[in-house]
């Protein structure tokens, strides 16, 4: 079973080298927490620039969201250009676009300079018309794209779709296998003497003075570093501030076998909200969508909806080969948070809020954070500054935070079941115990039950059962726990308490 839940993604058969857990105290110049594409890209770049780097990963490299991604490399910035230009000034949108477009070039350069065999391929991407999106709106998006700095061709018929569906062509986008890409960077990092620890969970971070941060791990060993980069997708060092400015969503993906090879492979995504995203992986069509707030009920059966949509739009798919889900963190104003951690500490950096463009965001972080560490400035710094106020996405910020506050209603609601026997096998339920306590109970089978406190160890919201991945998910800020109560995704650091 994957760390992230019951289902496995298309990449999980791809091998990565394994590393030992920490067994002694360490002293380093730069400590990077998190072995996903962000942590690996940043650690690689820092080592390449001559720094002494140590990377720590709670489980295994790639076991976070990087192992669940679909790995489109695009400069469609999650939101359409029309919306971005309503939210931000032109200069910001142009810099945002420039950063993501450059990130694809940087990945390509890394692939060639490090000789990484990761199926990297340049190809066109198409934004195509979804339900209720008129031709006039598509033309407006084309204009907004041009203003922002990208020329998009209008096409009457988007390739591969059943029927004549209009779209906008994004030239020179790309795709790759993210696990093979990380394997290539890891090989380069080995030559650069980067120290890597897997199965090393960070429990506590303490900034002693501007030059010293101590990172304490579950095994009792510490790492002392001058600079710390927290690349845990959802930052584990930042208890409150950042988590009011980004929101956790589950998203679903499926891989379909095909009737035969497809000649004109491309990337596709539509204008709907949430949008569908489509690419090819090893002769299968991989489709994703059905996003909903983590720990809150999906709209129907996500996989059934996704399969219906796929069969309607792609006449050449056959059987479902894989299906899985993952998590993305949506920033209130649509731009990720990359840079100095908000707060008084001097040498702590974060990268988060990457939404569905985490491959290029990770690469931007690998440029921006080393520049900030070495020179304290970079032309992209203000755009991605984690301390910027949420004024630009204010309405989303307010609505999403009202949603978070509403989740605390579960403190006073009753039990989902009255007795353990009502919980079906391989299923979890919430039980009220007395006036204040609530438990989450997983019924494994027969008389075997796992009972933990249902209060999330981040900020105390009541976790919800995720029956698709068989995990406990927090509806407030997206922490997730396995059936034994161990934390598998932050911002929580501790597992669910014993009951
Ligand atoms: C279904 C799906 C489709 C997507 N499609 C795309 C796409 O097409 N294009 C795109 O660009 N992006 C896409 N994304 C987003 C992208 O996958 C993510 O943004 C990206 O992988 C995040 O990488 P990361 O390294 O920041 O985080 P992760 O890969 O999650 O890595 C963070 C690591 O930190 C570790 N960690 C956490 N806490 C601790 C701790 N206390 N101690 C030590 N280690 C810790 C975790 O174990 C984890 O391995 C998609 C995401 C999903 C789920
Ligand atoms: S993730 Fe914040 S309360 Fe659970």
């Amino acid at each position: 079973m994957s760390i992230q839940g019951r289902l496995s993604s298309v990449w999980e058969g791809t091998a990565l080298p394994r590393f030992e857990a920490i067994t002694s105290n360490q002293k380093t110049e730069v400590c990077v927490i998190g072995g996903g594409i962000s942590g690996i890209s940043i650690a690689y770049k820092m080592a390449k620039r001559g720094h002494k780097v140590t990377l720590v990963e709670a489980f295994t490299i790639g076991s976070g969201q990087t192992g669940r991604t679909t790995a489109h490399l695009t400069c469609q910035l999650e939101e359409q250009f029309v919306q971005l230009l309503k939210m931000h000034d032109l200069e910001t949108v142009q810099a945002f676009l420039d950063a993501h477009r450059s990130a694809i070039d940087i990945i390509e350069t890394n692939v060639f300079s490090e000789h990484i065999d990761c199926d990297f391929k340049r190809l066109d991407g198409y934004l195509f018309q979804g339900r209720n999106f008129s031709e006039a709106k598509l033309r407006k998006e084309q204009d907004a794209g041009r203003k922002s700095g990208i020329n998009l061709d209008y096409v009457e018929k988007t390739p591969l779709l059943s029927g004549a569906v209009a779209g906008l062509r994004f030239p020179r986008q790309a795709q790759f296998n993210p696990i093979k890409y990380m394997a290539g960077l890891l090989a380069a990092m080995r030559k650069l003497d980067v120290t890597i620890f897997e199965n090393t969970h960070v429990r506590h971070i303490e900034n002693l003075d501007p030059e010293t941060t101590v990172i304490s791990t579950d095994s009792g060993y510490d790492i002392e570093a001058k600079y710390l980069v927290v690349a845990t997708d959802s930052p584990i060092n930042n208890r409150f501030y950042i988590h009011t400015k980004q929101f956790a969503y589950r998203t679903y993906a499926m891989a379909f076998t095909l009737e035969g090879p497809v000649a004109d492979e491309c990337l596709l995504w539509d204008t709907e909200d949430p949008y569908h995203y489509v690419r090819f992986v090893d002769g299968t069509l991989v489709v994703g969508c059905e996003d909903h707030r983590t720990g809150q009920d999906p709209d129907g059966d996500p996989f059934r909806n996704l399969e219906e949509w796929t069969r309607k739009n792609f006449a050449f798919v056959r059987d479902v080969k894989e299906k899985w889900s993952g998590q993305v963190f949506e920033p209130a104003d649509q731009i990720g948070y990359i840079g100095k951690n908000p707060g008084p500490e001097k040498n702590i950096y974060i990268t988060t809020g990457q939404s569905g463009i985490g491959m290029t965001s990770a690469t931007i972080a690998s440029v921006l954070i080393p520049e900030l560490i070495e020179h304290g400035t970079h032309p992209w710094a203000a755009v991605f500054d984690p301390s910027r106020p949420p004024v630009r996405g204010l309405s989303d910020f307010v609505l999403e935070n009202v949603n978070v506050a509403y989740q605390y209603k579960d403190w006073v609601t009753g039990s989902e079941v009255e007795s353990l026997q009502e919980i079906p096998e391989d299923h979890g339920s919430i039980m009220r115990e007395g006036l204040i306590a609530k438990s989450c109970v997983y019924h494994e089978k027969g008389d075997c039950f796992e009972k933990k406190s249902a209060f999330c160890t981040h900020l105390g919201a009541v976790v919800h059962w995720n029956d698709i991945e068989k995990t406990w998910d927090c509806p407030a800020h997206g922490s997730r726990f396995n059936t034994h109560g161990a934390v598998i995704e932050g911002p929580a650091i501790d597992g669910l308490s014993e009951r």
Side-chain angles (χ1 to χ4, degrees):
M1 186 168 126
S2 141
I3 298 291
Q4 291 295 321
R6 194 60 62 88
L7 304 174
S8 296
S9 81
V10 275
W11 317 115
E12 277 168 47
T14 310
L16 275 170
R18 295 280 72 112
F19 300 88
E20 299 295 319
I22 194 168
T23 53
S24 61
N25 290 334
Q26 305 282 320
K27 196 165 178 175
T28 189
E29 187 191 2
V30 183
C31 176
V32 178
I33 309 176
I37 190 159
S38 301
I40 297 290
S41 304
I42 296 163
Y44 162 71
K45 263 294 155 53
M46 287 304 294
K48 194 103 182 145
R49 293 164 80 128
H51 298 276
K52 180 172 163 33
V53 182
T54 300
L55 182 140
V56 272
E57 162 55 45
F59 301 102
T60 51
I61 305 289
S63 63
Q65 297 315 314
T66 304
R68 315 292 275 186
T69 191
T70 53
H72 297 219
L73 305 175
T74 73
C75 53
Q76 166 80 65
L77 305 171
E78 189 71 12
E79 189 57 88
Q80 288 161 25
F81 290 108
V82 167
Q83 301 306 329
L84 286 173
L85 288 171
K86 281 185 190 156
M87 222 181 269
H88 299 281
D89 55 53
L90 181 60
E91 226 171 74
T92 302
V93 177
Q94 285 173 339
F96 186 26
L97 172 65
D98 176 49
H100 279 270
R101 197 165 28 196
S102 306
I104 306 176
D105 296 340
I106 293 166
I107 292 172
E108 186 171 33
T109 304
N110 291 344
V111 167
F112 285 106
S113 64
E114 301 294 352
H115 310 289
I116 303 175
D117 176 11
C118 63
D119 311 327
F120 177 90
K121 184 174 170 183
R122 285 280 185 178
L123 70 189
D124 288 339
Y126 293 85
L127 167 70
F128 66 91
Q129 247 178 324
R131 281 165 291 194
N132 306 324
F133 203 85
S134 63
E135 189 189 313
K137 273 188 174 172
L138 210 54
R139 295 278 187 197
K140 274 193 184 152
E141 182 60 9
Q142 185 184 26
D143 286 345
R146 189 176 307 119
K147 219 170 154 187
S148 307
I150 183 165
N151 286 325
L152 306 171
D153 295 333
Y154 186 94
V155 296
E156 302 288 345
K157 186 179 178 333
T158 305
L160 301 173
L161 289 169
S162 310
V165 183
L168 297 178
R169 187 176 71 88
F170 284 61
R172 280 180 60 72
Q173 308 296 288
Q175 65 180 29
F176 66 173
N177 175 325
I179 304 297
K180 286 186 181 172
Y181 177 68
M182 287 204 298
L185 293 185
L186 285 168
M189 285 157 70
R190 199 185 284 272
K191 290 186 208 140
L192 294 164
D193 267 345
V194 176
T195 305
I196 300 176
F197 298 113
E198 289 186 321
N199 297 305
T200 299
H201 181 256
V202 172
R203 151 153 318 282
H204 185 67
I205 293 164
E206 193 165 356
N207 193 227
L208 299 183
D209 60 57
E211 300 284 287
T212 324
T213 296
V214 175
I215 297 105
S216 308
T217 66
D218 275 353
S219 52
Y221 299 110
D222 293 343
I223 302 165
E224 190 184 306
K226 181 169 178 190
Y227 303 102
L228 171 64
V229 183
V230 181
T232 50
D233 203 10
S234 176
I236 52 158
N237 58 320
N238 196 301
R239 200 152 172 77
F240 190 71
Y241 180 72
I242 281 289
H243 306 291
T244 64
K245 299 202 301 179
Q246 65 178 20
F247 310 98
Y249 280 79
R250 301 300 298 163
T251 181
Y252 297 82
M254 298 176 88
F256 293 84
T257 59
L258 309 179
E259 273 173 2
V262 170
D264 43 353
E265 283 192 10
C266 58
L267 303 175
L268 298 160
W269 58 96
D270 69 6
T271 55
E272 296 191 11
D273 182 17
Y275 63 89
H276 297 86
Y277 44 96
V278 184
R279 66 165 281 191
F280 293 85
V281 176
D282 297 335
T284 64
L285 185 79
V286 174
V287 181
C289 191
E290 299 299 317
D291 306 14
H292 64 86
R293 282 293 296 267
T294 298
Q296 303 179 26
D297 289 338
D299 186 10
D301 177 340
F303 291 124
R304 198 173 53 220
N305 295 346
L306 200 48
E307 183 170 352
E308 268 175 29
W309 181 89
T310 307
R311 293 195 185 284
K312 199 171 118 212
N313 285 284
F314 301 92
F316 52 85
V317 298
R318 279 174 63 178
D319 304 321
V320 176
K321 192 173 169 218
E322 313 283 355
K323 54 184 179 180
W324 71 97
S325 68
Q327 186 145 301
V328 288
F329 290 88
E330 299 285 350
D333 65 3
Q334 305 298 328
I335 299 182
Y337 305 108
I338 307 171
K340 190 186 158 298
N341 184 52
E345 316 96 342
K346 200 164 161 261
N347 286 334
I348 302 185
Y349 298 83
I350 57 169
T351 175
T352 188
Q354 312 181 78
S355 53
I357 48 176
M359 304 290 112
T360 40
S361 290
T363 311
I364 293 166
S366 78
V367 173
L368 190 43
I369 291 178
E371 282 290 317
L372 291 176
I373 286 177
E374 289 178 6
H375 309 296
T377 175
H378 186 276
W380 297 335
V383 175
F384 295 98
D385 182 6
S387 298
R388 68 185 185 272
V391 275
R392 295 253 159 76
L394 199 56
S395 56
D396 278 356
F397 171 80
V398 172
L399 283 176
E400 294 277 19
N401 276 302
V402 167
N403 179 314
V404 171
Y406 181 68
Q407 300 313 315
Y408 285 88
K409 72 184 183 312
D410 290 342
W411 280 356
V412 294
T413 53
S415 282
E416 288 173 352
V417 290
E418 294 310 318
S419 70
L420 294 178
Q421 284 62 40
E422 284 179 48
I423 307 173
E425 287 191 355
D426 200 20
H427 193 89
S429 294
I430 300 293
M431 295 182 81
R432 175 164 284 289
E433 298 192 291
L435 261 186
I436 296 174
K438 270 196 157 182
S439 299
C440 56
V441 185
Y442 169 65
H443 184 184
E444 189 180 344
K445 60 179 177 183
D447 291 336
C448 192
F449 294 88
E450 286 249 25
K451 191 190 218 185
K452 301 283 171 192
S453 164
F455 297 115
C456 173
T457 52
H458 175 228
L459 292 173
V462 174
V463 295
H464 285 209
W465 177 245
N466 172 344
D467 201 42
I468 291 177
E469 293 288 4
K470 308 287 178 191
T471 54
W472 295 106
D473 295 359
C474 180
H477 314 104
S479 293
R480 300 179 60 240
F481 305 86
N482 67 17
T483 52
H484 308 299
V487 64
I488 51 174
E489 187 148 9
I493 291 188
D494 296 311
L496 298 172
S497 313
E498 293 300 327
R499 289 281 313 141

